[in-house]
Amino acid sequence: MIHSAIIAIDGYSSSGKSTFARAIASELGYIYIDSGAMYRAVTLYCLENGILTADRLDHKKLTESLDKIDIEFSVDPETRKQFTLLNGINVEDKIRGIGVSEVVSKVSQVKEVRSKMVRLQRNISKKGGVVMEGRDIGTVVFPDAGMKIFMTAAADIRARRRYDELAQKGVKISYEEVLENIRMRDREDENRIESPLRKAEDALTLDNSNMTPDEQMRWFRRKWKSINRSYENQY
Ligand code: DC
């Protein structure tokens, strides 16, 4: 069965998935889910509870703790911005910091963590139209999503965007460090054993190296229209 109410967006880190997915969700009135935030929240839990230290991830303690980790999303009624809750506490700022970014791939490689996240992601999506972004949404979480998009952009362009974003927030980091972090995450995302980053066979590729957000939305509307037209012709 095809789930036309689910749009799966996968791709490389800092390829603009969040901005794009949020814009699509807002245009269609769908829920937006940032699955990376869920892996980041688990990582924060590990750091705060001595499960992940500079030199070691305690695999046993992590799997035993999974039942104690509750992740939800909520929306600030004033700003309309979505934020992530870890066991009832807003952790949105903490999970975006470099401390979590540098180690999150260690946690997202763990099979038991992935199974729990996939279960949560499927549950959230029972509520209706969803735009979900991540690394394995079109391949593992929703292989029958109605629309799949695989996003990419040149590594140096992604690094520049990320660097500008961090600089704006006042984070002191060099462009070279950001580029190295992006390259490392690409390698780890593509080469891990559990659900590596792959383009689903039926995904549309969007290389936005030289595209503005408006151009990406025009691209989306064209594709969305043609997908819906072909569904209408089928049924
Ligand atoms: O998209 P992001 O950079 O916030 O993701 C954080 C980490 O989580 C990144 O290392 C990739 C991983 N991730 C994943 O393994 N599967 C997903 N569906 C989403 C993110």
Side-chain angles (χ1 to χ4, degrees):
M1 192 179 79
I2 302 252
H3 288 292
S4 60
I6 292 178
I7 299 177
I9 302 184
D10 291 302
Y12 291 95
S13 71
S14 299
S15 58
K17 298 187 295 294
S18 304
T19 311
F20 187 50
R22 239 186 251 123
I24 294 173
S26 141
E27 180 152 320
L28 300 180
Y30 282 16
I31 300 171
Y32 159 68
I33 302 291
D34 170 5
S35 67
M38 302 168 80
Y39 290 97
R40 286 172 178 270
V42 178
T43 305
L44 181 65
Y45 182 93
C46 292
L47 289 170
E48 289 182 341
N49 291 277
I51 296 170
L52 180 59
T53 53
D55 55 355
R56 181 162 187 265
L57 171 68
D58 188 334
H59 191 279
K60 184 165 177 279
K61 203 166 163 195
L62 170 56
T63 48
E64 283 169 2
S65 302
L66 280 175
D67 282 346
K68 293 185 224 150
I69 303 177
D70 182 40
I71 298 164
E72 285 174 306
F73 294 101
S74 188
V75 177
D76 183 314
E78 272 174 29
T79 61
R80 305 299 310 149
K81 274 197 175 158
Q82 189 168 300
F83 59 91
T84 312
L85 296 157
L86 170 62
N87 291 337
I89 294 167
N90 180 351
V91 291
E92 192 56 36
D93 289 341
K94 276 190 181 171
I95 62 170
R96 304 293 166 191
I98 195 86
V100 169
S101 299
E102 273 177 348
V103 291
V104 59
S105 58
K106 290 192 184 16
V107 174
S108 62
Q109 285 176 26
V110 177
K111 189 174 172 197
E112 292 82 356
V113 171
R114 301 206 70 84
S115 312
K116 171 161 174 157
M117 294 306 113
V118 170
R119 221 172 34 245
L120 282 177
Q121 287 151 11
R122 289 186 181 146
N123 266 340
I124 297 172
S125 309
K126 285 182 184 153
K127 293 177 188 162
V130 166
V131 184
M132 190 175 294
E133 53 120 337
R135 304 293 191 287
D136 61 342
I137 310 305
T139 49
V140 175
V141 185
F142 295 115
D144 47 6
M147 184 181 199
K148 296 181 188 177
I149 300 170
F150 188 81
M151 285 181 76
T152 181
D156 57 330
I157 291 179
R158 286 184 282 134
R160 174 57 59 191
R161 289 178 188 156
R162 182 87 187 115
Y163 172 78
D164 290 345
E165 223 176 83
L166 291 169
Q168 243 183 15
K169 286 186 192 160
V171 178
K172 297 256 175 297
I173 188 166
S174 69
Y175 166 78
E176 285 70 27
E177 281 175 281
V178 176
L179 180 60
E180 185 40 43
N181 182 264
I182 280 189
R183 290 203 167 121
M184 182 194 76
R185 293 220 271 153
D186 286 357
R187 274 196 304 273
E188 287 178 340
D189 285 345
E190 287 177 320
N191 295 314
R192 69 174 177 226
I193 294 169
E194 294 300 328
S195 311
L197 174 64
R198 292 274 181 279
K199 175 184 174 300
E201 269 179 30
D202 50 350
L204 303 164
T205 299
L206 174 61
D207 181 338
N208 65 9
S209 299
N210 297 305
M211 283 170 99
T212 63
D214 279 351
E215 285 167 339
Q216 290 181 67
M217 281 313 284
R218 281 200 287 279
W219 177 93
F220 167 75
R221 287 182 200 118
R222 269 199 319 275
K223 301 290 182 191
W224 181 242
K225 234 187 232 164
S226 100
I227 284 177
N228 281 294
R229 217 177 288 130
S230 73
Y231 281 144
E232 280 160 19
N233 291 341
Q234 269 176 45
Y235 300 105

